Amino acid sequence: VETPQEQLAQIERMATSAILNNVARGAIVLGAGVSAFQSSIYNVDAGYRAIIFDRIFGVSQTSIGEGTHFLLPWFQTPVIMDCRTRPRNISSSTGTKDLQVININLRVLSRPDKEHLSYLYSTLGVDYDDRVLPSIGNEVLKAVVAQYNAEQLITQREEVSAAVRKELVAR
């Protein structure tokens, strides 16, 4: 036979247990909600652009600028691409018009065109500049330097630089 005090203590324990169960359920629901929200947003920092890869439709044709943006978790994945101007040094050993071999160094400042980021990503990937710039730079250097002799490369430096720039922009 339980005393009224024991019955009261048992009721208090059951009430405390029910409250703790409700708090635990609420914490689980809140945690799941926060996790779902966190996986549906992404940030694009200044100087970067995002391209959305969609599992159903593929690579989106538009790029997304700086800020916080929403996406559908699992269906969409943001690909963050650097759009800032970056330097690259390209060294080449090439022949001049008078058949002298020279070592020349080209410093290229490049950045991608923001309207064509989806094309760059889908054809070349995120490391497009590592794939394209060394080969084009080397080819342009050899083509331009072959038009001048060693003396002209020194005396007509601005003209050579303008010719290299013109050829690089054309490509």
Side-chain angles (χ1 to χ4, degrees), residues 2-55:
E2 293 181 357
T3 64
Q5 293 171 344
E6 290 174 346
Q7 289 176 350
L8 186 59
Q10 186 176 4
I11 291 173
E12 286 177 355
R13 281 193 299 270
M14 288 174 38
T16 303
S17 175
I19 290 172
L20 289 176
N21 282 339
N22 288 338
V23 167
R25 285 188 193 124
I28 290 172
V29 168
L30 181 65
V34 167
S35 176
F37 177 74
Q38 186 176 8
S39 66
S40 67
I41 63 171
Y42 65 98
N43 286 327
V44 179
D45 294 330
Y48 291 84
R49 305 278 292 181
I51 303 215
I52 300 297
F53 174 74
D54 194 309
R55 291 183 189 265

Side-chain angles (χ1 to χ4, degrees), residues 42 44 49-65 69-71 75-81 113-123:
Y42 65 98
V44 179
R49 305 278 292 181
I51 303 215
I52 300 297
F53 174 74
D54 194 309
R55 291 183 189 265
I56 298 170
F57 301 110
V59 177
S60 70
Q61 295 302 313
T62 59
S63 63
I64 300 168
H69 305 282
F70 292 97
L71 57 83
F75 287 107
Q76 295 177 330
T77 304
V79 178
I80 309 296
M81 296 185 73
D113 184 13
K114 293 177 182 176
E115 277 74 42
H116 298 106
L117 280 178
S118 61
Y119 176 75
L120 279 176
Y121 174 69
S122 60
T123 56

Side-chain angles (χ1 to χ4, degrees), residues 74-93:
W74 193 80
F75 287 107
Q76 295 177 330
T77 304
V79 178
I80 309 296
M81 296 185 73
D82 190 358
C83 291
R84 299 175 294 180
T85 301
R86 290 183 285 177
R88 172 175 286 285
N89 289 325
I90 301 169
S91 296
S92 178
S93 179

